[in-house]
Amino acid sequence: MNLADKLTEERRGRLAAERMLELKQAELRAANRKLGLHARELTEKIVKTRAVVETIRDENQRFRSDLSAANQKIALTERRLWHSIGTIKDGFAFFNADNEMIMANQAYLAVFDGLEEIRPGVNYVTILQVLTEEGIVNTGDICPEAWRQMMTDRLYQPDPEPTIIQLWNGTHIKLIDQRGPGGDMVSLGLDISATVTHQENLKEARAIAETANRAKSAFLANISHEIRTPMNGVVGMAEVLAETDLTDEQKLYVDTIKNSGEALLLIINDVLDYSKIEAGKLDLHLSIFDLEQAVLEVLMLLQPAAREKGLALLLEFDMHIPSAVEGDPGRLRQIMTNLIGNALKFTSTGHIIVRVDTLAGTKDTIKIAIEDTGIGIPPDKLQDIFDEFNQVENERNRQFDGTGLGLAISQRLVRMMGGEIKVRSADGVGSTFEFAVTLPAAQAADPLPQPGKDLMHVIIMDPMEVSAGILRRQMERLGIKVTVCADPDEVLLRCNSGVAVILAEHAPPTHDGIALAQTIAEGPCPVPLILLSNTPGTTMPEGRGEGVQAILTKPPSRRDLLAQLAALPERDTPQTPPDALRPMRILAAEDNRTNQLVFRKMIKSLDVDLTFAANGEEAVELYQKIKPDLVFMDISMPRMDGKEATQAIRALESETGVKVPIIALTAHAMAGDDAAILAAGLDHCLTKPLRKPDILTQIHAAHSADMRPLETAEKADQLAG
Ligand code: ADP
């Protein structure tokens, strides 16, 4: 190898070494940069961490200072609390779950008068021991061991009841022990000596007052009795004197003496009764009596006063109350006289209703309510209305006199009977006084009569809605169907052969029951009438009274009413002509009263039994009941129209196989209507206004030989005449 080659090789080697150096240097720089970056990141992290550490250190410092402040506060509060507890004059102690004393205030410890062992750490049971052994507590009739046992048992209850203990010096301590959630217990001993003394004084004062009150009542009772005896003489002699020959002036004087004497006697009787009750000298006299009779006697007594004021005095006596009960009838009458008397006194228009019923859910407890439509009682006076000498004093009733004892006496009498008296009232509208007493049912000497089984339907005619309602409920209680009518015209319209009797108000001239009875007796379905009159002793005028079963005075007693209902003649006997054949039965469904009247008038010459149904439903019902020979059916009626009713009847007939002719009465004389009507099962259509010949034709067509002739001899005569 020549030099040139050597030099070339050397240069090549140097160049390669230089490239290698450059490469390594580049790598070194890159590594350096990476290292620099890493170092910076680390520095940043260190800075951040240091900041966090510093914050935590600051917070720690703050917490530490807060904690120490809080601790100081707690210590202060505890000091103050104990200071306060220390200053209260009631005993206060704190026990742990093992009943060991943690702390007690001075008042608590003072009870033990410096006894060494009563200090924090002592057990509650030991305290009880010390209390008895040292004679600190007065255990009364109970021996110390039993007392300790009782108190220990109490201690172990989860929630001990407060108890009162008496100390040797007469101090009364109320012990209240209360366990906290962890089992700790707070024990409080309240000195209630003052309250106890006060209560004892009160009791003593009350006993003295009651004795004085009884003495006063006894005195009043005696004095009233003493006054009553001579007053009876005064009134009696005034009566005798009134019978003698007197001038008008003398008569006036005597009457005044008598009336004033009687008024005074009433007041004295009230005072006497009240005093007797207060002195505990009034006894109930039990006997078996007729409650309804007792109520009626009171009503009879007060009825004249009611009539004078134009007030209706009504009685609703439940049909199922036994007629004989056991109780004090005299005192019951007295209560009712007071209450009904008040109702009369404080009512100027309207009515007074006495309702006698059994209390819901009981058999023997009788509820008597007196309801009036009078001046009422203002709400703020209601609660003390039963207090003695209490009267609602205001403009309105200053005019009414009275002693203010009636309600107080009534309330006490009701209470003596084991009941309670209540009042409901709306100012200016009326009041209801109500009381319930137990009156056990007794064996009746003379049980109430029972109406016959065929008494299914009655008509009541009474223009006064309330009294009609009373009679209706009484009849319905007996399971009898009732139709109420307001006047004689309505009775004539609604009367049919299904009606057994008409109970009608007799108050001529508007409601002349006797005239109505006569009209009905002469009509197609003679139904007997029982008349109810407001005037006692109303009798039937000479020569009249056809169809009148009886005249009863309102309110009728259940006994009288039931006796008359039971005495009704058997159906289809003497009243109807003794004919072997039955009358033809026609059912007319027509809701319009005028149309009913028109219909009745049109056929009044015929001897048929006509019954009206007021709607389709009633028509179907009556169809089943009376089994008519012919039906006239109005098409448009309320509840169920004529087509539906006919369909229902036809459906019923499909079971029996008998088919009754049904004639449609329709107001729509429109083509096409007839077809729909006939399709519903009706046999023929008559359009309104009805024409008598059309009706008669239909009736004659449906008449058959087994029915009574349509024209009776009498009616035919009338027609001819
Ligand atoms: P007296 O009627 O003798 O005043 P009561 O004790 O019977 O005494 O009644 C006390 C008061 O209660 C009456 O004065 C009257 O103000 C009120 N009161 C009693 N019953 C009624 C009543 N039915 N309607 C309105 N107020 C009545």
Side-chain angles (χ1 to χ4, degrees), residues 272-296:
L272 183 61
D273 276 343
Y274 184 73
S275 314
K276 268 190 180 169
I277 296 173
E278 285 294 283
K281 281 189 181 158
L282 193 128
D283 298 318
L284 294 177
H285 298 289
L286 298 187
S287 65
I288 290 170
F289 69 103
D290 184 335
L291 177 64
E292 189 184 14
Q293 208 46 46
V295 180
L296 283 167

PDB file of all heavy atoms in Angstrom, residues 272-296:
ATOM      1  N   LEU A 272    -138.642  24.695  95.082  1.00  0.00           N
ATOM      2  CA  LEU A 272    -138.667  23.534  95.976  1.00  0.00           C
ATOM      3  C   LEU A 272    -137.944  22.341  95.347  1.00  0.00           C
ATOM      4  O   LEU A 272    -137.104  21.699  95.982  1.00  0.00           O
ATOM      5  CB  LEU A 272    -140.131  23.179  96.277  1.00  0.00           C
ATOM      6  CG  LEU A 272    -140.369  22.041  97.260  1.00  0.00           C
ATOM      7  CD1 LEU A 272    -139.774  22.382  98.616  1.00  0.00           C
ATOM      8  CD2 LEU A 272    -141.864  21.785  97.431  1.00  0.00           C
ATOM      9  N   ASP A 273    -138.270  22.088  94.089  1.00  0.00           N
ATOM     10  CA  ASP A 273    -137.626  20.964  93.398  1.00  0.00           C
ATOM     11  C   ASP A 273    -136.130  21.160  93.302  1.00  0.00           C
ATOM     12  O   ASP A 273    -135.351  20.255  93.572  1.00  0.00           O
ATOM     13  CB  ASP A 273    -138.177  20.842  91.963  1.00  0.00           C
ATOM     14  CG  ASP A 273    -139.457  20.055  91.949  1.00  0.00           C
ATOM     15  OD1 ASP A 273    -139.725  19.365  92.941  1.00  0.00           O
ATOM     16  OD2 ASP A 273    -140.195  20.145  90.951  1.00  0.00           O
ATOM     17  N   TYR A 274    -135.754  22.358  92.885  1.00  0.00           N
ATOM     18  CA  TYR A 274    -134.341  22.625  92.691  1.00  0.00           C
ATOM     19  C   TYR A 274    -133.589  22.462  94.010  1.00  0.00           C
ATOM     20  O   TYR A 274    -132.533  21.834  94.065  1.00  0.00           O
ATOM     21  CB  TYR A 274    -134.148  24.035  92.122  1.00  0.00           C
ATOM     22  CG  TYR A 274    -132.718  24.306  91.825  1.00  0.00           C
ATOM     23  CD1 TYR A 274    -132.103  23.706  90.727  1.00  0.00           C
ATOM     24  CD2 TYR A 274    -131.954  25.101  92.659  1.00  0.00           C
ATOM     25  CE1 TYR A 274    -130.778  23.912  90.459  1.00  0.00           C
ATOM     26  CE2 TYR A 274    -130.621  25.306  92.408  1.00  0.00           C
ATOM     27  CZ  TYR A 274    -130.034  24.715  91.302  1.00  0.00           C
ATOM     28  OH  TYR A 274    -128.704  24.903  91.053  1.00  0.00           O
ATOM     29  N   SER A 275    -134.177  23.028  95.082  1.00  0.00           N
ATOM     30  CA  SER A 275    -133.531  22.944  96.389  1.00  0.00           C
ATOM     31  C   SER A 275    -133.425  21.499  96.836  1.00  0.00           C
ATOM     32  O   SER A 275    -132.408  21.073  97.382  1.00  0.00           O
ATOM     33  CB  SER A 275    -134.332  23.714  97.428  1.00  0.00           C
ATOM     34  OG  SER A 275    -134.687  24.960  96.911  1.00  0.00           O
ATOM     35  N   LYS A 276    -134.464  20.739  96.582  1.00  0.00           N
ATOM     36  CA  LYS A 276    -134.457  19.330  96.983  1.00  0.00           C
ATOM     37  C   LYS A 276    -133.351  18.578  96.245  1.00  0.00           C
ATOM     38  O   LYS A 276    -132.637  17.768  96.835  1.00  0.00           O
ATOM     39  CB  LYS A 276    -135.800  18.685  96.649  1.00  0.00           C
ATOM     40  CG  LYS A 276    -136.791  18.738  97.792  1.00  0.00           C
ATOM     41  CD  LYS A 276    -137.931  17.866  97.399  1.00  0.00           C
ATOM     42  CE  LYS A 276    -139.024  17.787  98.408  1.00  0.00           C
ATOM     43  NZ  LYS A 276    -140.199  17.137  97.829  1.00  0.00           N
ATOM     44  N   ILE A 277    -133.245  18.835  94.938  1.00  0.00           N
ATOM     45  CA  ILE A 277    -132.204  18.146  94.161  1.00  0.00           C
ATOM     46  C   ILE A 277    -130.839  18.522  94.719  1.00  0.00           C
ATOM     47  O   ILE A 277    -129.991  17.673  94.970  1.00  0.00           O
ATOM     48  CB  ILE A 277    -132.296  18.519  92.663  1.00  0.00           C
ATOM     49  CG1 ILE A 277    -133.608  18.028  92.071  1.00  0.00           C
ATOM     50  CG2 ILE A 277    -131.125  17.936  91.891  1.00  0.00           C
ATOM     51  CD1 ILE A 277    -133.863  18.496  90.644  1.00  0.00           C
ATOM     52  N   GLU A 278    -130.635  19.826  94.951  1.00  0.00           N
ATOM     53  CA  GLU A 278    -129.345  20.304  95.445  1.00  0.00           C
ATOM     54  C   GLU A 278    -129.027  19.723  96.820  1.00  0.00           C
ATOM     55  O   GLU A 278    -127.886  19.434  97.135  1.00  0.00           O
ATOM     56  CB  GLU A 278    -129.346  21.833  95.516  1.00  0.00           C
ATOM     57  CG  GLU A 278    -129.216  22.483  94.161  1.00  0.00           C
ATOM     58  CD  GLU A 278    -127.867  22.214  93.525  1.00  0.00           C
ATOM     59  OE1 GLU A 278    -126.891  22.845  93.919  1.00  0.00           O
ATOM     60  OE2 GLU A 278    -127.804  21.343  92.628  1.00  0.00           O
ATOM     61  N   ALA A 279    -130.049  19.588  97.643  1.00  0.00           N
ATOM     62  CA  ALA A 279    -129.822  19.071  98.991  1.00  0.00           C
ATOM     63  C   ALA A 279    -129.751  17.546  98.986  1.00  0.00           C
ATOM     64  O   ALA A 279    -129.582  16.916 100.015  1.00  0.00           O
ATOM     65  CB  ALA A 279    -130.933  19.548  99.913  1.00  0.00           C
ATOM     66  N   GLY A 280    -129.877  16.959  97.799  1.00  0.00           N
ATOM     67  CA  GLY A 280    -129.803  15.499  97.667  1.00  0.00           C
ATOM     68  C   GLY A 280    -131.012  14.816  98.282  1.00  0.00           C
ATOM     69  O   GLY A 280    -130.931  13.679  98.749  1.00  0.00           O
ATOM     70  N   LYS A 281    -132.124  15.536  98.302  1.00  0.00           N
ATOM     71  CA  LYS A 281    -133.304  14.959  98.969  1.00  0.00           C
ATOM     72  C   LYS A 281    -134.380  14.524  97.991  1.00  0.00           C
ATOM     73  O   LYS A 281    -135.496  14.208  98.388  1.00  0.00           O
ATOM     74  CB  LYS A 281    -133.901  16.002  99.926  1.00  0.00           C
ATOM     75  CG  LYS A 281    -133.135  16.105 101.211  1.00  0.00           C
ATOM     76  CD  LYS A 281    -133.885  16.971 102.187  1.00  0.00           C
ATOM     77  CE  LYS A 281    -133.106  17.098 103.468  1.00  0.00           C
ATOM     78  NZ  LYS A 281    -133.508  18.296 104.211  1.00  0.00           N
ATOM     79  N   LEU A 282    -134.057  14.572  96.707  1.00  0.00           N
ATOM     80  CA  LEU A 282    -135.090  14.190  95.744  1.00  0.00           C
ATOM     81  C   LEU A 282    -134.825  12.784  95.234  1.00  0.00           C
ATOM     82  O   LEU A 282    -133.719  12.474  94.792  1.00  0.00           O
ATOM     83  CB  LEU A 282    -135.105  15.185  94.577  1.00  0.00           C
ATOM     84  CG  LEU A 282    -136.328  15.058  93.697  1.00  0.00           C
ATOM     85  CD1 LEU A 282    -136.989  16.410  93.530  1.00  0.00           C
ATOM     86  CD2 LEU A 282    -135.969  14.502  92.332  1.00  0.00           C
ATOM     87  N   ASP A 283    -135.809  11.927  95.343  1.00  0.00           N
ATOM     88  CA  ASP A 283    -135.649  10.548  94.870  1.00  0.00           C
ATOM     89  C   ASP A 283    -136.582  10.297  93.703  1.00  0.00           C
ATOM     90  O   ASP A 283    -137.642  10.907  93.611  1.00  0.00           O
ATOM     91  CB  ASP A 283    -135.999   9.559  95.990  1.00  0.00           C
ATOM     92  CG  ASP A 283    -135.060   9.717  97.169  1.00  0.00           C
ATOM     93  OD1 ASP A 283    -133.853   9.876  96.922  1.00  0.00           O
ATOM     94  OD2 ASP A 283    -135.556   9.718  98.313  1.00  0.00           O
ATOM     95  N   LEU A 284    -136.161   9.378  92.851  1.00  0.00           N
ATOM     96  CA  LEU A 284    -137.042   8.994  91.740  1.00  0.00           C
ATOM     97  C   LEU A 284    -137.983   7.897  92.228  1.00  0.00           C
ATOM     98  O   LEU A 284    -137.597   7.067  93.059  1.00  0.00           O
ATOM     99  CB  LEU A 284    -136.212   8.475  90.563  1.00  0.00           C
ATOM    100  CG  LEU A 284    -135.299   9.505  89.891  1.00  0.00           C
ATOM    101  CD1 LEU A 284    -134.481   8.839  88.793  1.00  0.00           C
ATOM    102  CD2 LEU A 284    -136.101  10.669  89.324  1.00  0.00           C
ATOM    103  N   HIS A 285    -139.210   7.920  91.749  1.00  0.00           N
ATOM    104  CA  HIS A 285    -140.167   6.868  92.112  1.00  0.00           C
ATOM    105  C   HIS A 285    -140.471   6.052  90.873  1.00  0.00           C
ATOM    106  O   HIS A 285    -141.203   6.506  89.989  1.00  0.00           O
ATOM    107  CB  HIS A 285    -141.450   7.489  92.674  1.00  0.00           C
ATOM    108  CG  HIS A 285    -141.183   8.272  93.921  1.00  0.00           C
ATOM    109  ND1 HIS A 285    -140.848   7.676  95.108  1.00  0.00           N
ATOM    110  CD2 HIS A 285    -141.132   9.608  94.141  1.00  0.00           C
ATOM    111  CE1 HIS A 285    -140.634   8.605  96.024  1.00  0.00           C
ATOM    112  NE2 HIS A 285    -140.795   9.797  95.455  1.00  0.00           N
ATOM    113  N   LEU A 286    -139.876   4.865  90.802  1.00  0.00           N
ATOM    114  CA  LEU A 286    -140.030   4.059  89.594  1.00  0.00           C
ATOM    115  C   LEU A 286    -141.349   3.291  89.610  1.00  0.00           C
ATOM    116  O   LEU A 286    -141.789   2.807  90.640  1.00  0.00           O
ATOM    117  CB  LEU A 286    -138.879   3.060  89.479  1.00  0.00           C
ATOM    118  CG  LEU A 286    -137.478   3.677  89.364  1.00  0.00           C
ATOM    119  CD1 LEU A 286    -136.444   2.598  89.076  1.00  0.00           C
ATOM    120  CD2 LEU A 286    -137.439   4.741  88.274  1.00  0.00           C
ATOM    121  N   SER A 287    -141.966   3.232  88.430  1.00  0.00           N
ATOM    122  CA  SER A 287    -143.164   2.396  88.292  1.00  0.00           C
ATOM    123  C   SER A 287    -143.306   2.023  86.819  1.00  0.00           C
ATOM    124  O   SER A 287    -142.586   2.547  85.965  1.00  0.00           O
ATOM    125  CB  SER A 287    -144.404   3.154  88.769  1.00  0.00           C
ATOM    126  OG  SER A 287    -144.627   4.257  87.923  1.00  0.00           O
ATOM    127  N   ILE A 288    -144.223   1.118  86.546  1.00  0.00           N
ATOM    128  CA  ILE A 288    -144.457   0.737  85.149  1.00  0.00           C
ATOM    129  C   ILE A 288    -145.579   1.621  84.623  1.00  0.00           C
ATOM    130  O   ILE A 288    -146.626   1.768  85.269  1.00  0.00           O
ATOM    131  CB  ILE A 288    -144.804  -0.754  85.062  1.00  0.00           C
ATOM    132  CG1 ILE A 288    -143.525  -1.545  85.387  1.00  0.00           C
ATOM    133  CG2 ILE A 288    -145.329  -1.119  83.670  1.00  0.00           C
ATOM    134  CD1 ILE A 288    -143.733  -3.001  85.585  1.00  0.00           C
ATOM    135  N   PHE A 289    -145.346   2.278  83.488  1.00  0.00           N
ATOM    136  CA  PHE A 289    -146.355   3.208  82.981  1.00  0.00           C
ATOM    137  C   PHE A 289    -146.342   3.226  81.458  1.00  0.00           C
ATOM    138  O   PHE A 289    -145.420   2.716  80.823  1.00  0.00           O
ATOM    139  CB  PHE A 289    -146.126   4.608  83.549  1.00  0.00           C
ATOM    140  CG  PHE A 289    -144.876   5.276  83.021  1.00  0.00           C
ATOM    141  CD1 PHE A 289    -144.938   6.268  82.053  1.00  0.00           C
ATOM    142  CD2 PHE A 289    -143.621   4.885  83.480  1.00  0.00           C
ATOM    143  CE1 PHE A 289    -143.791   6.870  81.557  1.00  0.00           C
ATOM    144  CE2 PHE A 289    -142.467   5.486  82.988  1.00  0.00           C
ATOM    145  CZ  PHE A 289    -142.551   6.476  82.033  1.00  0.00           C
ATOM    146  N   ASP A 290    -147.383   3.845  80.892  1.00  0.00           N
ATOM    147  CA  ASP A 290    -147.495   3.963  79.438  1.00  0.00           C
ATOM    148  C   ASP A 290    -146.843   5.284  79.022  1.00  0.00           C
ATOM    149  O   ASP A 290    -147.386   6.362  79.293  1.00  0.00           O
ATOM    150  CB  ASP A 290    -148.984   3.931  79.057  1.00  0.00           C
ATOM    151  CG  ASP A 290    -149.189   3.959  77.538  1.00  0.00           C
ATOM    152  OD1 ASP A 290    -148.285   4.470  76.839  1.00  0.00           O
ATOM    153  OD2 ASP A 290    -150.235   3.487  77.074  1.00  0.00           O
ATOM    154  N   LEU A 291    -145.671   5.180  78.399  1.00  0.00           N
ATOM    155  CA  LEU A 291    -144.905   6.386  78.056  1.00  0.00           C
ATOM    156  C   LEU A 291    -145.688   7.295  77.118  1.00  0.00           C
ATOM    157  O   LEU A 291    -145.717   8.511  77.272  1.00  0.00           O
ATOM    158  CB  LEU A 291    -143.570   5.980  77.413  1.00  0.00           C
ATOM    159  CG  LEU A 291    -142.692   7.128  76.926  1.00  0.00           C
ATOM    160  CD1 LEU A 291    -142.245   8.011  78.074  1.00  0.00           C
ATOM    161  CD2 LEU A 291    -141.457   6.608  76.192  1.00  0.00           C
ATOM    162  N   GLU A 292    -146.341   6.680  76.132  1.00  0.00           N
ATOM    163  CA  GLU A 292    -147.060   7.497  75.155  1.00  0.00           C
ATOM    164  C   GLU A 292    -148.179   8.281  75.843  1.00  0.00           C
ATOM    165  O   GLU A 292    -148.397   9.457  75.562  1.00  0.00           O
ATOM    166  CB  GLU A 292    -147.642   6.617  74.044  1.00  0.00           C
ATOM    167  CG  GLU A 292    -148.211   7.453  72.915  1.00  0.00           C
ATOM    168  CD  GLU A 292    -148.889   6.620  71.845  1.00  0.00           C
ATOM    169  OE1 GLU A 292    -149.157   5.430  72.096  1.00  0.00           O
ATOM    170  OE2 GLU A 292    -149.159   7.176  70.772  1.00  0.00           O
ATOM    171  N   GLN A 293    -148.845   7.607  76.779  1.00  0.00           N
ATOM    172  CA  GLN A 293    -149.926   8.257  77.501  1.00  0.00           C
ATOM    173  C   GLN A 293    -149.383   9.458  78.280  1.00  0.00           C
ATOM    174  O   GLN A 293    -149.992  10.530  78.288  1.00  0.00           O
ATOM    175  CB  GLN A 293    -150.578   7.229  78.451  1.00  0.00           C
ATOM    176  CG  GLN A 293    -152.032   7.489  78.756  1.00  0.00           C
ATOM    177  CD  GLN A 293    -152.852   7.823  77.512  1.00  0.00           C
ATOM    178  OE1 GLN A 293    -152.738   7.153  76.498  1.00  0.00           O
ATOM    179  NE2 GLN A 293    -153.635   8.896  77.578  1.00  0.00           N
ATOM    180  N   ALA A 294    -148.202   9.257  78.901  1.00  0.00           N
ATOM    181  CA  ALA A 294    -147.598  10.342  79.683  1.00  0.00           C
ATOM    182  C   ALA A 294    -147.299  11.533  78.779  1.00  0.00           C
ATOM    183  O   ALA A 294    -147.572  12.684  79.127  1.00  0.00           O
ATOM    184  CB  ALA A 294    -146.331   9.846  80.361  1.00  0.00           C
ATOM    185  N   VAL A 295    -146.757  11.250  77.579  1.00  0.00           N
ATOM    186  CA  VAL A 295    -146.437  12.342  76.656  1.00  0.00           C
ATOM    187  C   VAL A 295    -147.732  13.039  76.223  1.00  0.00           C
ATOM    188  O   VAL A 295    -147.810  14.272  76.199  1.00  0.00           O
ATOM    189  CB  VAL A 295    -145.681  11.807  75.408  1.00  0.00           C
ATOM    190  CG1 VAL A 295    -145.358  12.937  74.448  1.00  0.00           C
ATOM    191  CG2 VAL A 295    -144.404  11.095  75.815  1.00  0.00           C
ATOM    192  N   LEU A 296    -148.753  12.235  75.916  1.00  0.00           N
ATOM    193  CA  LEU A 296    -150.012  12.820  75.449  1.00  0.00           C
ATOM    194  C   LEU A 296    -150.671  13.684  76.530  1.00  0.00           C
ATOM    195  O   LEU A 296    -151.263  14.722  76.228  1.00  0.00           O
ATOM    196  CB  LEU A 296    -150.974  11.720  74.989  1.00  0.00           C
ATOM    197  CG  LEU A 296    -150.630  11.140  73.617  1.00  0.00           C
ATOM    198  CD1 LEU A 296    -151.415   9.858  73.365  1.00  0.00           C
ATOM    199  CD2 LEU A 296    -150.902  12.148  72.498  1.00  0.00           C
TER     200      LEU A 296
END
